[in-house]
Amino acid sequence: MTQKNWPHFDNSYSRLPEKFFSRLSPIPVSDPVLIRVNHDLARQLGFDVSWLESQQGVEFLAGNFIPDNSEPIATVYAGHQFGGWNPQLGDGRAILIGEVLDTNGQRFDIQLKGSGRTPYSRGGDGRAPLGPVLREYIVSEAMTVLGVPTSRALGAVLSGEKVFRERSLPGAVLARVAQSHIRIGTVQYFASRQDLEAIELLVDHVIQRHYPAIADEKDRARALLDNIIDRTAKLVARWQSLGFIHGVMNTDNMLLSGETIDYGPCAFMDTFNANTVFSSIDHGGRYAYRNQPHIAHWNLTALAQALLPLLNSDPEKALASGQAAVDVFPDKYQQAFKQQVLRKLGISEDSADSDALIQDLFSLMQEERSDFTLTFRHLSDRVMTADSAGTVDSIFDLPAAFAPWLKRWEKVLATDSVPASQRQAQMYAVNPVFIPRNHLVEEAIQAAEKHLDFEPFHQLVDTLSRPFTFKPADSRYALPPRLEEMVTETFCGT
């Protein structure tokens, strides 16, 4: 096949000094078999979809075939993991194949996850079990449609090999796409080595790649920090507005581009509880739902600390600048979260009553153990009479305890100038009925792991691609789990 079947690679990160990465190719797998190709994303990136689904395309997705002009590398970084410092981490089971420009000229990394050992594997096998690959595909693509900045899945393949964790599992490789894989931990790695030159190069690279509007700023490092803080506040607000729990918000899992990455022990809440934790390794609840904004603030403080030498040559002034930057995060987050929730409630104009209305709603949801997603969807249905076939009334209703709150909410809506039909349409556009519920994700994983049956996986991905349109025939994908279906723990798969 000729190069016209795949996009031209233009690898800016690999043009940085080699202390930023190690050059190596993926370790070939024995018998790659296609699971799924993301057609829309493939076309956006300039791939010939029929080629990507051909045997050579599958070999590419598995890491067995390396296209011309790609320059495979594994990047190095450090990070705080559950608050503990690790001075060297890096891509231990992933290879960055290269960067491509999509049809709009936007730059994207293509990375293969599960592609074998690297210099940063720390004794691991560098492979990925099938389950985590499917989970990341399902959740990252759902997040995309829900409007959350995120890495994406280009494709997934079976490796034809077994991966050993607590037991023998089928192996797989995920082709992951992101605007970049540059992390807070990348800056921390060079800061811990007092490599000012590397930090300066990294700042220039990130600005050129993700924040070109600040390229001419006099205080470039501070401007970059301010922009990253702003994007992170908006990102976490979106997580919170959907009941999404990342599960492992280490500094090496937070991208400077403001995208969500590393869907390991992630999950969406069913019953609302602000203390919810799913990750099997988060014993103290550090990354619980309620803590995610605080941890984002903590991580950004670590970034500011790593950037101090560039903020000012005077250590005291540098510290003051960094502190001033991170101090605005709580207000930025609260403002972004409030805007998200007001949209979900159909309120176009903020008022003095809004804060209490929002706080009381979440308190009620917690007290009454109300389903997070269906509560907001039900409110969307209540805005005006609709065809009952298109509402969630048949599968969900609010407890009687919500009645006083509903009267307050309806009173606020009555003073809003937006017509009811327009309000309802706007609410439907931000309140999904379908999310990647844990029991459905687990159902798809179990069918694939035990029987190599990928039909539940495909059906779930297809349903989640239309999260805002409810059809009664798809009710099982909207329902919370029964008691025997509940999934209370999720796992990294490393």
Side-chain angles (χ1 to χ4, degrees):
M1 305 294 287
T2 64
Q3 189 173 327
K4 67 180 181 180
N5 296 291
W6 60 86
H8 175 76
F9 286 86
D10 178 50
N11 309 305
S12 63
Y13 200 80
S14 64
R15 292 194 284 270
L16 293 170
E18 300 215 355
K19 58 187 171 183
F20 284 81
F21 51 80
S22 296
R23 296 186 186 274
L24 74 167
S25 293
I27 299 174
V29 300
S30 63
D31 186 21
V33 176
L34 182 65
I35 299 172
R36 188 178 179 110
V37 164
N38 187 334
H39 286 201
D40 290 342
L41 180 57
R43 294 189 187 98
Q44 177 188 333
L45 296 176
F47 283 96
D48 180 329
V49 173
S50 62
W51 173 81
L52 205 52
E53 293 181 328
S54 72
Q55 185 57 44
Q56 190 180 43
V58 174
E59 297 281 346
F60 163 72
L61 293 172
N64 290 12
F65 168 72
I66 306 300
D68 297 341
N69 298 321
S70 66
E71 300 178 74
I73 58 173
T75 66
V76 64
Y77 45 85
H80 282 95
Q81 299 183 305
F82 288 88
W85 172 246
N86 192 320
Q88 180 173 300
L89 297 165
D91 295 329
R93 58 171 177 163
I95 300 290
L96 176 58
I97 296 300
E99 304 164 25
V100 299
L101 300 179
D102 74 356
T103 52
N104 296 315
Q106 175 69 53
R107 183 177 298 274
F108 287 94
D109 284 352
I110 298 178
Q111 185 191 69
L112 301 184
K113 193 171 180 180
S115 53
R117 294 191 66 191
T118 77
Y120 316 114
S121 296
R122 295 179 291 160
D125 60 15
R127 295 303 190 187
L130 175 61
V133 166
L134 297 184
R135 176 180 292 275
E136 181 156 352
Y137 196 118
I138 292 166
V139 180
S140 65
E141 285 306 298
M143 293 280 270
T144 300
V145 185
L146 293 171
V148 182
T150 179
S151 62
R152 299 191 63 184
L154 174 61
V157 298
L158 283 166
S159 67
E161 301 170 353
K162 293 293 184 181
V163 173
F164 294 91
R165 298 297 182 256
E166 290 82 5
R167 55 193 173 92
S168 175
L169 297 165
V173 179
L174 177 76
R176 181 166 72 185
V177 173
Q179 291 186 37
S180 80
H181 287 80
I182 307 169
R183 309 153 191 265
I184 291 178
T186 312
V187 185
Q188 288 182 291
Y189 174 80
F190 293 107
S192 68
R193 285 157 175 76
Q194 299 182 343
D195 191 339
L196 184 59
E197 178 189 30
I199 302 174
E200 290 175 335
L201 286 170
L202 195 57
V203 165
D204 289 342
H205 179 85
V206 173
I207 288 174
Q208 181 179 0
R209 187 162 180 173
H210 298 301
Y211 303 94
I214 65 171
D216 296 328
E217 292 281 344
K218 182 178 179 181
D219 191 349
R220 287 158 56 82
R222 173 60 190 271
L224 176 61
L225 180 59
D226 289 340
N227 277 264
I228 293 170
I229 288 170
D230 185 67
R231 281 197 192 179
T232 304
K234 292 173 180 175
L235 175 69
V236 177
R238 285 176 178 265
W239 292 357
Q240 300 295 96
S241 73
L242 291 165
F244 173 76
I245 301 168
H246 185 277
V248 60
M249 286 178 66
N250 300 327
T251 58
D252 56 292
N253 291 335
M254 298 291 289
L255 295 184
L256 302 188
S257 63
E259 294 174 285
T260 314
I261 196 173
D262 285 335
Y263 293 92
C266 66
F268 282 76
M269 276 195 288
D270 297 305
T271 298
F272 178 73
N273 184 333
N275 296 312
T276 300
V277 176
F278 287 99
S279 171
S280 63
I281 57 176
D282 190 2
H283 305 296
R286 177 180 174 86
Y287 299 141
Y289 172 84
R290 72 159 64 247
N291 290 338
Q292 290 186 137
H294 308 298
I295 293 299
H297 191 192
W298 194 96
N299 289 345
L300 290 165
T301 301
L303 174 62
Q305 185 176 15
L307 289 172
L308 285 179
L310 271 63
L311 295 179
N312 199 291
S313 58
D314 183 319
E316 290 188 6
K317 291 181 179 178
L319 184 60
S321 178
Q323 190 67 57
V326 298
D327 280 350
V328 305
F329 175 82
D331 286 343
K332 279 185 173 288
Y333 163 74
Q334 288 294 343
Q335 181 180 10
F337 179 67
K338 186 176 182 179
Q339 289 175 347
Q340 291 289 327
V341 178
L342 289 176
R343 291 176 65 206
K344 291 173 75 68
L345 295 177
I347 300 173
S348 63
E349 299 176 6
D350 195 3
S351 70
D353 298 328
S354 297
D355 289 338
L357 195 68
I358 292 170
Q359 183 176 345
D360 291 347
L361 173 61
F362 279 92
S363 295
L364 267 173
M365 289 167 62
Q366 175 129 349
E367 291 167 7
E368 298 298 320
R369 299 182 57 79
S370 185
D371 184 84
F372 187 102
T373 301
L374 293 181
T375 294
F376 284 102
R377 185 66 181 203
H378 177 79
L379 294 177
S380 305
D381 290 338
R382 290 181 69 100
V383 168
M384 60 181 291
T385 303
D387 178 4
S388 60
T391 71
V392 297
D393 289 351
S394 61
I395 62 173
F396 179 82
D397 198 2
L398 290 174
F402 277 77
W405 183 91
L406 288 169
K407 289 182 179 178
R408 291 165 55 198
W409 172 62
E410 289 165 353
K411 184 178 179 180
V412 171
L413 295 189
T415 65
D416 200 306
S417 60
V418 176
S421 59
Q422 181 181 340
R423 177 182 296 114
Q424 186 172 63
Q426 291 171 346
M427 291 176 70
Y428 279 151
V430 295
N431 290 318
V433 66
F434 302 119
I435 57 167
R437 293 188 181 269
N438 300 327
H439 67 292
L440 298 175
V441 175
E442 188 63 24
E443 176 187 276
I445 289 172
Q446 290 299 314
E449 284 185 345
K450 293 179 179 179
H451 309 294
L452 293 183
D453 176 7
F454 291 98
E455 189 57 28
F457 164 73
H458 293 305
Q459 289 181 352
L460 183 56
V461 172
D462 290 342
T463 301
L464 294 173
S465 70
R466 305 177 298 274
F468 303 108
T469 303
F470 179 62
K471 296 179 180 178
D474 295 327
S475 290
R476 71 177 299 266
Y477 294 101
L479 286 167
R482 299 187 300 271
L483 183 61
E484 68 274 13
E485 294 177 318
M486 291 183 65
V487 176
T488 58
E489 279 192 328
T490 48
F491 303 87
C492 285
T494 54

